[in-house]
Amino acid sequence: MSYKGRFRVWRGDASGGALADFEVEVNEGEVVLDVLHRIQATQAPDLAVRWNCKAGKCGSCSAEIDGRPRLLCMTRMSVFDPGDVVTVTPMRTFPVLRDLVTDVSFNYAKAREVPSFTPPAGLAPGEYRMAQVDVERSQEFRKCIECFLCQDTCHVVRDHDENKGAFAGPRFLMRVAELEMHPLDVADRVPAAQDEHGLGRCNITKCCTEVCPEGIKITDNALIPMKERVADRRYDPLVWLGRTITRRRD
Amino acid sequence: MTEIERHDYDVLVIGAGGAGLRAAIEARERGLRTAIVCKSLFGKAHTVMAEGGCAAAMGNVNEHDSWQVHFRDTMRGGKFLNSWRMAELHAKEAPDRVWELETYGALFDRTPDGRISQRHFGGHTYPRLAHVGDRTGLELLRTLQQRIVALQQADHAETGDFEARLRVFAECTITELLTDPDAGTEHHGAVAGAFGYWRESGRHVQFSAPAVVLATGGIGKSFQVTSNSWEYTGDGHALALRAGASLIDMEFVQFHPTGMVWPPSVKGILVTEGVRGDGGVLRNSDGERFMFGYVPDVFKGQYAQSEDEADRWYDDQENNRRTPDLLPRDEVARAINTEVKEGRGSPHGGVYLDIASRMPADEIRRRLPSMYHQFKELADVDITAEQMEVGPTCHYVMGGIAVDPDTGQSRVPGLFAAGECAGGMHGSNRLGGNSLSDLLVFGRRAGLGAADYVAGLDRRPAVREADVAAAAAMTLAPFDAHPAGAGGENPYTLHAELQRVMNDLVGIIRTESEVVAALDRLAELRARVHDVVVEGHRQYNPGWHLTLDLRNMLMVSEAVASSALLRTESRGGHTREDHPGLDAEWRHRVLVTHCVRDGSGLGSGAAVVLRTAVEPAEREPMRPDLLALFDLSELEKYYTPAELAGHPDAGRSAALHPEGGTA
Ligand SMILES: Cc1cc2nc3c(=O)[nH]c(=O)nc-3n(C[C@H](O)[C@H](O)[C@H](O)COP(=O)(O)OP(=O)(O)OC[C@H]3O[C@@H](n4cnc5c(N)ncnc54)[C@H](O)[C@@H]3O)c2cc1C
Ligand code: SF4
Ligand code: SF4
Ligand code: FES
């Protein structure tokens, strides 16, 4: 069941690099990460690649396979023909540190810009009551493993470094939506979504949804509903006023 | 040598899993300047992989639950070897720690009346595990991560600097703790800081801190078949040993009964116990639910004896006993091992785990989404239609750093430990779900302990420059050109050999001759590690990182093997084929590992592995009011008569108490 697979792996660092060719054994049931590990163990011990869980749960092993943003540990070799050359490159949107490892600090900086969960005053621990149907919307977004593949793929920042300052990216716009839809969060998050996190730059192409390994409907369930909330308020300030009042009352 | 980057903090937390983050939150909330260091990116620690849930006796689903019941379950699961004080604190405080997570923004699955839902798990009398589908660890870790961010935002609002009081040093590996022999006690110099390197650049970094909390997780990467990630190289265990702390219970390694077995590249990846908690059952190749034949004497009377009763139990726990599919993990893992050995296994050397025939497909996808995904993507198996193939996988280490239960402090002043790297809480076998709660309860306590310790110091221990230089030299030795003639060793090859040795010779079933052989092999590997030569340079070099991790793996593996050799009985995560029974005389003894620094055979070459020695000591007897929570008849299965003289029922006839009546 084994064959010699042909791989082209980008090797280099911030100063530059190139694709390196490898011929390496591939066995039944393996994923791309297994093959990269074999390259490490037998041919290039210093090949840099991030990983942790090897089961699609931690979001560490993000890279691009034949130009598509993917998790290395969840891409099975069986999707390729034995004759294919498999090309593995680092995520393009983030600066390369070494080989397949990129500097993803952009994402951690964006995470800090979203104000945290704000519970109602006076609600003691243990007294939180929420219905399952109400938590489910935010729970979908909390499945996010922070692989940052959606951030990598979004065209607003993919080849536009200049947009990075004003755009939180799908992952963190979704975080805003998650808190906005949290049944007990009392902060108003709609104006900032548009003004500070750059929701207006998203033109709902759904590329982020397509690459999300967790299958989260980022665009349909988080971004579009947020856009609707923004639109409601823009056109009708009274709606906004009414909303804040009822929100405070319940 | 280039200038070393230096930082000064009040508390240094090593590890950004549940335990480390909870400790850091506590230290920061007590006003201390706190640093968190971790080997991976922030938010990727092993805790993120936990699936099933977090045990806490909130009584949301069954109101009969209480801390006493949880305490008893924990002690039974650990076969009465647990630190009873830790088990007590854990059972009492876990509900508050879970509720606190909701105030940080966590969204657990709900009961119909809107409270946190709780699920069944092995060894827990009542449905007790707070959960979010089968991704509870992700929810827990992300919540704590977001709490850290919230605290940083508060600091930013106040000082203009997010990192004024709480900073995360991600992808930074600590290789040595630094102590000050002129501070601390007569025998143990106090902690003064830690030394490490940035994975990205390979540059050195040194922290000064009067208190260090170790929260580095487990050791599973020394075994071939494991659910653990590359991070689990026992660093905290080894760092603590080298700094003068001791380890306990290192013979107890948990093999989770259900890991994936096929295809080979995913062998060992975990299949959550939640599958069985929610109704999945184990079957052999004859289709038989074999667990009914494996209820051990100590648990007789507590588990269902027929399939009908077991199936009724899911809905009515008052009138039925639980299914033996949910026996503690050590029992289930051994049972699977036996079934396979006796020829009733599945094609790929496991047994079957069946949820497909027990629940509608939609329900399975809703309750176990990541299991569905995992099997579909990695094994081409649709668990809503087919049975899974599963077998034991190295999962968790019960043994760890010996700490004071209340504060988490080791015997080295200023050195604290919490989470999987700390020992005692789980005795010889951990119950599922008791780790996530352990992280929260003892993470917080270690943070508090560290804060109190720092507040009580009149002078900060000082880092010695010679120690820093030695630590730096140690990390760079593997780059040194090798003496002409000898071929260098490949770190990946050594690692693979170590994993085979531990798996085959110190694995789920052990015998004296095999463990002795393992110790010999470990000695060889210790010698060969001196000859490792690292290729490339210091920038993000995994071969180099592995070489440094091997120092710790080899040290901890020796501790496991030596302890396993000494304990001549079978209990929990330690099964000796040549000593198959429980032995009450071993219950009250604890095996303590410490580091031997006699220098014999330890050159100044590359990657020096220090030796360890193991000695027996006595465990502290359980407090009488806690002992009285158990029926005498149950305790008699574990304790020597002399130890039970203080029990309120002592002297009365044990026959008064029906078996299993405590549940
Ligand atoms: C697949 C799986 C499923 C599980 N499911 C459950 C469950 O449902 N319920 C449950 O209760 N338990 C479960 N467990 C067990 C539980 O997840 C772990 O025991 C627990 O998460 C350990 O947490 P921790 O905080 O001690 O360490 P971890 O979360 O592992 O964190 C360790 C941290 O230490 C850092 N570190 C290690 N060494 C160094 C070093 N030298 N320098 C710097 N940093 C270092 C790492 O980078 C990491 O950040 C599961 C475990 C696995 C593997
Ligand atoms: S839908 Fe919006 S956020 Fe997603 S990729 Fe397209 S532009 Fe980016
Ligand atoms: S939303 Fe999906 S693609 Fe984006 S970071 Fe989260 S898991 Fe990854
Ligand atoms: S290694 Fe965790 S997602 Fe791939």
Side-chain angles (χ1 to χ4, degrees), chain B residues 142-160:
Chain B
R142 197 69 79 229
T143 300
L144 293 172
Q145 179 184 350
Q146 287 166 348
R147 176 66 183 169
I148 300 270
V149 169
L151 292 168
Q152 290 180 326
Q153 288 170 340
D155 288 343
H156 182 255
E158 201 183 313
T159 66

Side-chain angles (χ1 to χ4, degrees), chain B residues 320-592:
Chain B
N320 299 287
R321 289 165 300 177
R322 64 191 22 249
T323 171
D325 291 292
L326 288 174
L327 273 159
R329 289 176 177 173
D330 52 326
E331 310 291 354
V332 183
R334 273 191 298 272
I336 293 177
N337 205 62
T338 307
E339 287 294 305
V340 174
K341 239 189 195 155
E342 293 180 357
R344 293 183 296 277
S346 66
H348 301 110
V351 294
Y352 294 106
L353 174 59
D354 169 27
I355 185 108
S357 76
R358 313 209 11 116
M359 204 182 270
D362 284 355
E363 186 76 0
I364 296 172
R365 274 192 294 264
R366 192 180 65 75
R367 291 212 213 183
L368 301 163
S370 83
M371 284 304 106
Y372 174 75
H373 197 63
Q374 181 175 312
F375 272 89
K376 191 98 200 139
E377 300 282 321
L378 295 176
D380 274 331
V381 168
D382 176 357
I383 67 167
T384 67
E386 300 162 71
Q387 311 193 83
M388 297 164 244
E389 273 187 78
V390 295
T393 178
C394 177
H395 184 57
Y396 186 89
V397 61
M398 273 67 73
I401 301 157
V403 293
D404 169 58
D406 288 72
T407 62
Q409 186 160 213
S410 72
R411 68 181 187 185
V412 175
L415 182 62
F416 298 76
E420 188 167 340
C421 72
M425 162 66 204
H426 305 285
S428 68
N429 173 56
R430 173 177 74 86
L431 292 186
N434 267 2
S435 172
L436 293 184
S437 40
D438 165 3
L439 309 181
L440 298 171
V441 168
F442 295 104
R444 172 178 162 278
R445 283 188 163 269
L448 268 179
D452 288 343
Y453 170 82
V454 173
L457 282 179
D458 42 46
R459 158 179 109 72
R460 287 196 171 221
V463 168
R464 292 184 304 184
E465 279 313 309
D467 291 345
V468 175
M474 173 68 72
T475 64
L476 296 182
F479 285 107
D480 291 347
H482 206 67
E489 293 277 359
N490 175 334
Y492 297 96
T493 310
L494 285 191
H495 184 210
E497 286 186 32
L498 168 66
Q499 290 181 311
R500 267 198 303 279
V501 169
M502 293 306 284
N503 220 77
D504 298 349
L505 305 177
V506 202
I508 178 163
I509 310 285
R510 302 160 175 175
T511 64
E512 179 176 332
S513 57
E514 288 184 349
V515 177
V516 168
L519 285 165
D520 289 344
R521 297 292 313 281
L522 289 174
E524 272 169 43
L525 291 170
R526 269 197 305 276
R528 284 167 62 192
V529 100
H530 285 254
D531 300 333
V532 168
V533 177
V534 170
E535 287 180 34
H537 47 76
R538 284 165 70 176
Q539 213 190 359
Y540 218 111
N541 185 338
W544 178 41
H545 302 163
L546 178 61
T547 306
L548 298 179
D549 292 345
L550 274 170
R551 284 181 79 204
N552 300 332
M553 284 191 265
L554 284 167
M555 201 172 171
V556 172
S557 295
E558 187 186 29
V560 173
S562 310
S563 303
L565 183 61
L566 282 183
R567 184 171 284 270
T568 47
E569 66 154 353
S570 292
R571 184 189 294 269
H574 170 66
T575 305
R576 281 283 297 262
E577 204 167 46
D578 45 351
H579 298 275
L582 278 178
D583 177 352
E585 292 299 345
W586 267 113
R587 197 216 58 82
H588 55 84
R589 273 185 277 175
V590 54
L591 294 176
V592 183

Side-chain angles (χ1 to χ4, degrees), chain A residues 150 153-156 167 169-170 173 201-209 218-219 223:
Chain A
C150 58
T153 208
C154 178
H155 65 93
V156 177
F167 187 64
L173 288 167
R201 289 172 191 258
C202 160
N203 50 359
I204 55 172
T205 56
K206 301 199 189 185
C207 313
C208 50
T209 305
I218 308 170
T219 323
L223 305 180

Side-chain angles (χ1 to χ4, degrees), chain B residues 36-50:
Chain B
I36 302 167
V37 190
C38 55
K39 295 204 281 190
S40 292
L41 292 171
F42 189 33
K44 308 292 179 200
H46 220 273
T47 301
V48 90
M49 290 178 229

